[in-house]
Amino acid sequence: MSYDVGIIGAGVHGVSAAFHLARRGLSTAVFDRSTPASGPTGRSGGICRAYYTDAFLAEVAREGIAFLADFGERTGGGQSGFRRTGAFYLHGPGDVPAARQAAARLGPGAEVVGPEALPHLDTEGVAVAVWEPEAGYADPFATTLGLAEAARGHGAELHLNRPVVAVEEGARGVTVTTADGGTHHLGALLVAAGPWTAPLLRPLGVDLPLTVERHVVAIMEHDPADTAELVPYVLIDVAGGHYSTPQPRTQYLVGGVVAASPADPDDFDRTAAPEERAGLAAAAARRSPARRRALPAGGWASLYDVSPDWQPVTGRVTEHVYVDAGTSGHGFKLAPAWGEHVARLVLGEADPRLAAFAPSRFASGTGLAAGFGAARILG
């Protein structure tokens, strides 16, 4: 089989790129060892925000959120599960100048307020809070399936449950071999395989400095007596090192916003240990009195593929091979719009600003700034 472009990875970034390539008329194939969103994408917290320290990422995030909000029309009937709740970001004194600068990129309705504006929260250690009215959360699994089906609708082919066992580059393109013995000839290859990206590229002589971390999410359930005091918006507590996201009914998710332990993507504990969930629950409860009687309702552990500067790694790595990885835990809401930038990159029409995210930046010592202090995941 021959295709203009092949993509390894059916996470949200891979299928977004497939959608944008296929709708431009390129014959496109996606290869995955399992099914869409079966890796880290399906276990994302799904936060949708445009609050970034990098101006280009802020712009792409706004475009991604607009895509998610209008998902059905853009994909021909898909569902993203997007809910606009708004988001508050809590910052300590050292973050104030950077927080004001990031807030200025959010557009109308965004505010920088003092802790006194949040009487329902315990704001100890908080110097300022930023309000982003357009933020919210979405369903990563449904989003990925919707993009995959939309890509199919434009002619893309998905080779699922077929691990790639060999990648060879020649003068005219790339040959990919799958575990079932299938051989596929590609004019260009995009590797968007998350934590498995770096190992897939090494046989081609490409050594990306990506690492893998295990991050935990806890699901909490409010006590019925406290439901009148629910936190109705995404809360990213930079000062306290955690985030929380409201969920349907009376549940909420809690996760961390700082670096975590390294992991083997093929052998890691996918469960959230009781002590891990308890630590996250305690962090959330310190801010919200209504959460102090909440009970554990589950949780999970997933993987982040992390770049040295916690910013996406997107660019050309050989004559016919491109990469889109290293999104470091904040790539979900970028994906619907980032996929279009990746498609333009493959077609030779890249936005010049994308060059700042090229893999070559690490060798040249031109890494990007990211986040606020230890909370580099905010990008």
Side-chain angles (χ1 to χ4, degrees):
M1 296 184 182
S2 297
Y3 302 94
D4 294 327
V5 184
I7 299 167
I8 302 178
V12 69
H13 274 252
V15 297
S16 176
F19 166 74
H20 288 288
L21 287 162
R23 74 185 184 91
R24 286 169 171 255
L26 279 75
S27 60
T28 306
V30 179
F31 304 90
D32 197 277
R33 58 195 290 167
S34 186
T35 55
S38 60
T41 290
R43 293 184 162 217
S44 166
I47 291 176
C48 300
R49 60 176 174 86
Y51 187 66
Y52 272 92
T53 56
D54 184 276
F56 182 58
L57 289 181
E59 179 183 313
V60 176
R62 284 195 300 272
E63 294 168 353
I65 293 170
F67 192 115
L68 291 166
D70 196 24
F71 197 78
E73 184 172 336
R74 298 202 193 202
T75 61
Q79 306 257 334
S80 71
F82 176 69
R83 297 192 179 202
R84 181 167 281 119
T85 63
F88 263 118
Y89 307 86
L90 309 183
H91 288 279
D95 290 346
V96 173
R100 292 187 181 280
Q101 189 174 45
R105 300 192 184 101
L106 294 176
E111 293 183 85
V112 181
V113 299
E116 67 281 357
L118 301 168
H120 55 294
L121 297 180
D122 183 335
T123 54
E124 181 181 357
V126 175
V128 296
V130 176
W131 171 245
E132 180 184 357
E134 299 299 306
Y137 67 93
D139 183 332
F141 191 78
T143 297
T144 307
L145 289 182
L147 285 167
E149 287 305 311
R152 273 188 173 131
H154 287 289
E157 296 183 16
L158 272 63
H159 299 269
L160 304 177
N161 297 302
R162 296 182 188 178
V164 170
V165 295
V167 179
E168 298 179 33
E169 186 173 19
R172 297 186 178 181
V174 181
T175 300
V176 164
T177 304
T178 50
D180 60 354
T183 300
H184 310 270
H185 303 286
L186 315 170
L189 172 67
L190 171 68
V191 182
W196 298 276
T197 297
L200 282 164
L201 288 171
R202 285 191 195 111
L204 298 176
V206 177
D207 190 12
L208 293 181
L210 301 178
T211 56
V212 181
E213 293 185 0
R214 174 181 174 275
H215 285 254
V216 174
V217 173
I219 308 172
M220 302 299 296
E221 180 81 49
H222 275 284
D223 185 296
D226 296 321
T227 55
E229 302 297 329
L230 300 185
V231 177
Y233 44 76
V234 171
L235 180 64
I236 299 185
D237 184 0
V238 184
H242 81 279
Y243 70 83
S244 63
T245 308
Q247 297 293 294
R249 299 179 297 279
T250 58
Q251 292 185 339
Y252 58 97
L253 304 182
V254 190
V257 298
V258 296
S261 58
D264 179 343
D266 295 312
D267 184 18
F268 74 100
D269 187 354
R270 291 167 171 78
T271 62
E275 60 272 18
E276 291 175 317
R277 288 181 290 163
L280 290 169
R286 279 195 292 272
R287 290 297 185 204
S288 168
R291 291 176 169 177
R292 289 172 187 161
R293 291 191 293 182
L295 297 175
W300 64 80
S302 188
L303 301 174
Y304 292 174
D305 56 318
V306 179
S307 71
D309 58 13
W310 287 73
Q311 299 287 46
V313 179
T314 301
R316 192 178 197 164
V317 291
T318 70
E319 181 67 22
H320 304 288
V321 180
Y322 301 81
V323 65
D324 178 19
T327 51
S328 307
H330 60 93
F332 167 67
K333 96 289 290 176
L334 296 170
W338 198 259
E340 183 168 6
H341 284 283
V342 172
R344 291 174 58 191
L345 170 71
V346 173
L347 290 166
E349 306 168 359
D351 186 315
R353 295 174 296 175
L354 191 66
F357 299 87
S360 59
R361 71 184 188 268
F362 304 116
S364 64
T366 54
L368 299 165
F372 302 86
R376 301 180 75 196
I377 189 176
L378 291 184

